[in-house]
Each structure stands twice: as structure tokens, then as C-alpha cells.
Amino acid sequence: MRQIVVAITGASGAVYARSLVRMLVRSACRVHVIVSPRGAQLMQMELGIEHVTAQALVECGSDRVVFHEYADMVDALASGSVNTDGMAVCPCSMHTLAEVAAGMGSNLITRAAHVHLKQRRTLVLAPREMPLSVIDLENMLRAARAGAVIAPACPAFYTELKSVQAVADFVASRVADCLGIHEEIEEFRSL
Ligand SMILES: Cc1cc2nc3c(=O)[nH]c(=O)nc-3n(C[C@H](O)[C@H](O)[C@H](O)COP(=O)(O)O)c2cc1C
């Protein structure tokens, strides 16, 4: 079973994160979820999720969702010796982007991202901010040069998406694509 890390940070777009976790579970992945404190606040504000649990994210298959503590720096995901098949930060705040670009690892999200880069594994960052400062742009370039895939949470509308959920699924399916997960997401893909 493929092991995918999904980090949820405090950028707007909690719905993208929920959609991505659902998609990965349907694709028979084990999903390792890390939520930043601000990410948890956005989950509450945007989706009404008081406590981010497996049941709150997926309707079925919740046994394939494993939570890891944001502040737990002795967690397995902090170590390069524990193998995974990729990581996505979705949505990715400019704060977390900056830490990743600077090579910092002050919490489990940025440490796990750093591990993915140094181990040459797939790291997908889905930043959401508008407009972008020169610092944000430089951080994206720096992270991309270090091997990260920059996949902005940026939906397209040429497929006449009919709901917020469809917009979220569009973005999440692109992130899943970048992770190399293509199965079971056809129904979410609009093109
Ligand atoms: C309601 C709300 C919406 C926010 N939306 C964004 C956003 O879209 N993009 C972003 O980069 N930061 C956004 N922020 C700011 C981040 O939450 C803040 O920089 C925080 O330090 C990020 O921490 P984290 O990366 O550890 O989650 C938002 C904050 C709040 C309270």
C-alpha cells in the first residue's frame, strides 16, 4: 500500500485538503495527515470541522487515515529512514512555504517536507495566496530548484465546474496527479 503524507496548513482552502485525502484513500493509499494549528482553525472556519479526525475527512476507509502530531519531532515522519511514497502540502501557506524553502524544520510538517527533499522523494506544494510577493515567488523558485513540485491551488473553469466541491476536486486531482496517483480519480477529473 502506498504511503502518502498530506500536510494541511493555514491557507484558505481546507476543502482542497479534504478532497485530496478522500481521493488518496479511494486510490488505496495509506494517508498520513499532519495538521498545523492554523490549518485546524481553517478546517473549523471553512468546513465546520471542530476536530480533524479520519471520520470527519472521509466517509469510508477511515482506517487508512493516520494522524501525526504537528509538534511531535520524534515521529517517524521526521526521519529519512522511514520510507514514504510522497508528500503534499495542501493547501500550503506562505509561512510553511518559506520554512520549506529555507530548509527549516521547526515542526513535523516542515521537517517531513525537508526529509522528502533530501531523500529525493516527491514533495508537492499547493500554495494559495494572491497576490504573491517577490519573497513568495522567490521561495517557490527556491523550493522548486530543491526538487519540490509547485502546484498552485488554482482551478480552471473550462470544464464548467458546477459546485465548490467540483472546484476542490479539480485542484485535488491535479495534486494527486503530481504525486503519481492516477487510479480512482478519473471521476473527479474534469478533463
Ligand atoms: C482566515 C485565515 C485565512 C488565511 N489564508 C491564508 C492563505 O490563503 N494563504 C496564506 O499563505 N496564509 C493565509 N493565512 C495566514 C496563515 O494562516 C499564517 O501565515 C499562519 O502563520 C500559517 O501557519 P502554518 O503554515 O503553520 O499553518 C490565513 C489566516 C487566516 C486566519
Side-chain angles (χ1 to χ4, degrees):
M1 185 179 281
R2 285 165 300 181
Q3 312 281 333
I4 302 290
V5 182
V6 173
I8 304 171
T9 69
S12 186
V15 69
Y16 299 132
R18 183 175 64 183
S19 184
L20 178 63
V21 172
R22 286 179 177 172
M23 243 171 242
L24 294 174
V25 165
R26 288 181 63 144
S27 294
C29 298
R30 174 153 289 125
V31 187
H32 298 268
V33 176
I34 317 168
V35 189
S36 77
R38 194 67 76 189
Q41 187 182 7
L42 270 283
M43 279 277 170
Q44 196 278 325
M45 289 173 69
E46 297 185 349
L47 297 177
I49 294 176
E50 291 289 343
H51 301 289
V52 189
T53 61
Q55 289 75 19
L57 293 177
V58 298
E59 297 96 349
C60 55
S62 57
D63 55 320
R64 291 204 290 275
V65 181
V66 182
F67 282 86
H68 299 257
E69 277 297 319
Y70 173 81
D72 185 2
M73 299 306 286
V74 294
D75 185 278
L77 296 178
S79 169
S81 57
V82 175
N83 221 343
T84 65
D85 297 288
M87 171 173 180
V89 185
C90 177
C92 181
S93 73
M94 296 304 101
H95 168 255
T96 291
L97 168 72
E99 271 214 11
V100 172
M104 294 169 70
S106 70
N107 60 70
L108 189 60
I109 291 177
T110 50
R111 172 62 192 166
H114 186 75
V115 165
H116 279 73
L117 291 180
K118 83 182 176 73
Q119 299 299 127
R120 305 292 194 268
R121 296 186 209 141
T122 303
L123 172 68
V124 183
L125 305 178
R128 202 236 66 93
E129 185 57 284
M130 194 180 79
L132 295 163
S133 72
V134 171
I135 293 170
D136 299 331
L137 292 165
E138 285 183 345
N139 284 339
M140 284 185 214
L141 182 59
R142 198 173 164 87
R145 283 190 170 139
V149 179
I150 307 297
C154 189
F157 294 92
Y158 48 75
T159 54
E160 297 175 37
L161 302 171
K162 299 233 168 7
S163 65
V164 170
Q165 190 57 55
V167 170
D169 288 344
F170 179 97
V171 169
S173 70
R174 293 305 190 271
V175 173
D177 258 343
C178 294
L179 286 165
I181 308 294
H182 311 292
E183 310 88 348
E184 304 291 334
I185 63 169
E186 287 309 319
E187 69 178 278
F188 297 108
R189 195 196 304 277
S190 305
L191 200 75

